[in-house]
């Protein structure tokens, strides 16, 4: 039995940061030992004589691995350009390495079935989801889960959602409405310009597409949507709303059974969702950038109002860990900020007894984090007690004159 002991760490527990050591066995946290760094460390008697790896944290932070509920990066790995499609196996191999390096140990791939584009048509969506389903039981660097983002205007696709739930392929379901004039895209003109740039189409083509979305929404069967929500909940699939902009929308989604309000676009909606007992999810790119790219709610305002519980990376996973430390700078409470990417995501989905915190008996998904150059850096990542990522840095300055730059040799 291999035992891993992490010594001399600042352990980020659910409600405190303490110095000490962690003992990992059989993929679980076996012991949490509080101790001052000056105290000589002796391996516990229970592991004496066994195969043991000792990792000196050198005073760095040890925190739970991050649980990412909404990240659509798999789409970009499959199709980095609109006309380019790469094999799923290659895309996933590339993505896993990045996610482990970012400190994401459980990834809910947010797969969107909506507009029929290259990776968002129903056929491709089903292929991706079933492939990820197979990854659950294969050799893997991180834990793979599915967050199915169902666009309600995709009326023809609702049966596929039922089918995938019945196959136990979906872990988390959000209901989205990206029709113009409400939600994330309250401004029709800005939506048209964004769509034209993102999809590399003309503004006239974007305008036609938006008109088509409005037409599609008129065909939504609201009773069928209620039935889908009821079925998902009956199968243990938690639900989320998306881009809430009014209290009325929050009320509707809450009645459907949503437990998470994803990316509310107005502070009023975020506060109201929190008052209803929903978890409010905000975007880490918004936190790091200091605002919304669509001029919607500033995420830090929700944090300061006590109306934010979960951080998600959405389209830029590299922002997830830096946003935690950015929030901690504002609130002065790093342990609570860490819970936004660990304990609260786990709790919202009912898996907090196994994941999302450093405690005896919890799964040993862990990160060794160093603050370097003003940003947190993931130095090691463990998933189920197995070291899956390690990053070491060469701090020695380069002195070879061949690499020297000057205005003269740049000219």
């Amino acid at each position: 039995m291999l035992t891993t002991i992490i010594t001399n760490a600042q352990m980020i527990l659910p409600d405190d940061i303490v110095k000490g050591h962690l003992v990992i066995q059989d993929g679980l946290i076996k012991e949490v030992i509080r101790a001052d760094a000056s105290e000589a460390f002796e391996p516990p008697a229970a592991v004496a004589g066994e195969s043991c790896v000792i990792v000196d944290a050198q005073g760095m932070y040890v925190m739970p691995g991050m649980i990412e509920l909404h990240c659509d990066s798999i789409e970009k790995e499959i199709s980095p350009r609109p006309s380019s499609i790469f094999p799923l196996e290659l895309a996933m191999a590339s993505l896993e390495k990045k996610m482990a390096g970012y400190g994401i140990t459980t990834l809910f791939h947010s797969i969107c079935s909506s507009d029929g584009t290259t990776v968002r048509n129903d056929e491709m969506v089903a292929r991706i989801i079933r492939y990820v389903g197979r990854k659950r039981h294969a050799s893997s660097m991180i834990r793979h889960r599915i967050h199915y983002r169902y666009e309600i205007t995709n009326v023809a696709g609702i049966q596929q959602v039922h089918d995938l739930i019945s196959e136990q392929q979906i872990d988390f379901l959000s209901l989205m409405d990206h029709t113009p004039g409400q939600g994330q895209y309250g401004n029709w003109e800005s939506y048209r310009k964004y769509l034209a740039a993102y999809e590399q189409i003309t503004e006239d083509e974007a305008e036609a597409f938006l008109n088509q979305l409005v037409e599609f929404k008129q065909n939504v069967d609201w009773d069928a949507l209620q039935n889908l929500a009821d079925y998902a909940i009956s199968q243990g699939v938690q639900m989320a709303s998306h881009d809430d902009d009014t209290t009325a929308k929050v009320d509707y989604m809450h009645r459907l059974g949503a437990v998470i309000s994803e990316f509310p676009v107005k502070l009023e909606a975020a506060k109201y969702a929190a008052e209803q007992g929903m978890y409010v999810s905000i975007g880490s790119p918004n936190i790091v950038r200091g605002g919304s790219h669509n001029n919607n709610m500033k995420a830090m305002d929700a944090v300061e109002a006590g109306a934010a519980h979960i951080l998600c990376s959405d389209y830029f996973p590299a922002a997830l860990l830096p946003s935690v430390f950015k929030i901690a700078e504002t609130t002065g409470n790093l342990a609570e900020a860490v819970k936004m990417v660990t304990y609260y995501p786990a709790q919202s989905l009912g898996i907090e007894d196994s994941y999302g915190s450093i405690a005896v008996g919890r799964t040993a998904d862990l990160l060794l984090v160093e603050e370097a150059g003003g940003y947190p850096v993931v130095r090691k990542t463990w998933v189920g007690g197995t070291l899956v990522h390690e990053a070491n840095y060469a701090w020695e300055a380069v002195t070879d004159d061949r690499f020297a730059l000057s205005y003269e040799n740049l000219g």
Side-chain angles (χ1 to χ4, degrees):
M1 181 188 301
L2 176 65
T3 298
T4 299
I5 301 175
I6 305 173
T7 69
N8 304 320
Q10 293 190 72
M11 301 179 292
I12 304 180
L13 307 183
D15 299 307
D16 198 7
I17 300 177
V18 302
K19 295 177 180 179
H21 323 293
L22 279 177
V23 180
I24 303 167
Q25 276 185 344
D26 285 341
L28 302 176
I29 297 173
K30 179 82 170 179
E31 291 189 61
V32 179
I33 305 168
R34 300 185 183 219
D36 188 88
S38 62
E39 299 177 28
F41 174 74
E42 292 291 338
V47 301
E50 297 176 356
S51 178
C52 182
V53 173
I54 296 181
V55 177
D56 186 351
Q58 299 178 351
M60 299 180 205
Y61 293 112
V62 172
M63 61 176 276
M66 294 190 291
I67 300 170
E68 169 57 283
L69 297 187
H70 185 123
C71 178
D72 56 17
S73 289
I74 186 63
E75 294 182 348
K76 284 298 183 186
E77 294 293 335
I78 294 170
S79 180
R81 293 184 177 178
S83 59
S84 301
I85 295 291
F86 286 86
L88 288 175
E89 294 79 4
L90 174 61
M92 187 64 77
S94 171
L95 183 66
E96 279 194 324
K97 295 172 188 175
K98 293 177 183 179
M99 295 299 158
Y102 295 142
I104 295 168
T105 54
T106 299
L107 177 62
F108 284 74
H109 299 274
S110 55
I111 309 299
C112 180
S113 176
S114 59
D115 53 23
T117 51
T118 308
V119 291
R120 292 190 171 185
N121 65 80
D122 289 344
E123 180 182 355
M124 177 59 84
V125 162
R127 280 185 57 205
I128 296 171
I129 288 174
R130 291 191 173 105
Y131 174 72
V132 171
R134 294 192 295 273
K135 287 292 290 182
R136 298 170 192 259
H137 311 292
S139 178
S140 182
M141 291 182 73
I142 62 172
R143 303 182 193 280
H144 296 277
R145 301 291 184 265
I146 287 293
H147 169 184
Y148 195 110
R149 303 167 60 200
Y150 174 62
E151 192 76 56
I152 65 172
T153 51
N154 181 17
V155 175
I158 198 168
Q159 184 58 51
Q160 177 171 282
V161 189
H162 278 273
D163 294 344
L164 290 167
I165 291 174
S166 69
E167 295 174 23
Q168 298 183 327
Q169 298 281 1
I170 296 176
D171 305 283
F172 180 38
L173 173 68
S174 60
L175 302 180
M176 307 189 304
D177 178 4
H178 283 114
T179 50
Q182 56 80 53
Q184 181 179 356
Y185 299 107
N187 185 298
W188 184 295
E189 182 179 355
S190 66
Y191 193 5
R192 182 181 68 244
K193 291 183 185 229
Y194 161 78
L195 193 64
Y198 187 78
E199 296 293 349
Q200 298 184 11
I201 57 179
T202 68
E203 288 200 18
D204 286 344
E205 290 171 327
E207 178 79 13
F209 178 77
L210 296 184
N211 284 318
Q212 188 178 55
L213 282 182
V214 172
E215 182 181 339
F216 285 163
K217 189 169 181 179
Q218 295 171 357
N219 298 324
V220 171
D221 184 335
W222 299 99
D223 289 336
L225 201 61
Q226 177 71 67
N227 291 337
L228 173 63
D230 291 343
Y231 181 61
I233 293 168
S234 74
Q235 299 303 302
V237 177
Q238 295 284 40
M239 280 183 40
S241 60
H242 189 76
D243 293 345
D244 295 331
D245 57 349
T246 65
T247 58
K249 184 175 181 182
V250 171
D251 273 333
Y252 173 69
M253 294 303 302
H254 196 214
R255 287 196 303 271
L256 281 184
V259 298
I260 297 174
S261 172
E262 273 199 325
F263 311 141
V265 299
K266 293 186 177 178
L267 184 58
E268 178 190 19
K271 288 179 178 178
Y272 186 70
E275 289 168 2
Q276 307 314 301
M278 298 175 73
Y279 294 86
V280 175
S281 170
I282 58 174
S284 59
N286 187 313
I287 292 291
V288 171
R289 293 177 66 251
S292 164
H293 68 282
N294 282 323
N295 296 315
N296 290 319
M297 181 186 76
K298 186 177 178 181
M300 192 64 83
D301 289 345
V303 172
E304 294 177 337
H309 312 96
I310 296 170
L311 274 165
C312 294
S313 68
D314 194 7
Y315 60 92
F316 190 54
L320 195 58
L321 189 59
S323 69
V324 171
F325 280 73
K326 188 80 171 175
I327 288 173
E329 286 179 14
T330 298
T331 64
N333 191 334
L334 179 58
E336 186 65 20
V338 164
K339 287 166 73 173
M340 297 180 74
V341 292
T342 56
Y343 184 77
Y344 291 136
Q347 188 182 51
S348 71
L349 299 186
I351 57 174
E352 73 275 16
D353 287 344
S354 297
Y355 304 98
S357 60
I358 293 179
V360 173
R362 298 292 189 272
T363 302
D365 292 355
L366 299 165
L367 309 178
L368 180 64
V369 176
E370 177 184 15
E371 286 191 88
Y375 276 90
V377 174
V378 177
R379 295 292 300 272
K380 296 180 190 291
T381 303
W382 290 269
V383 173
T386 297
L387 182 65
V388 297
H389 164 80
E390 183 172 11
N392 297 313
Y393 297 87
W395 296 108
E396 184 178 349
V398 175
T399 57
D400 192 327
D401 290 339
R402 289 175 299 170
F403 296 100
L405 295 178
S406 68
Y407 288 110
E408 288 76 19
N409 61 32
L410 281 174

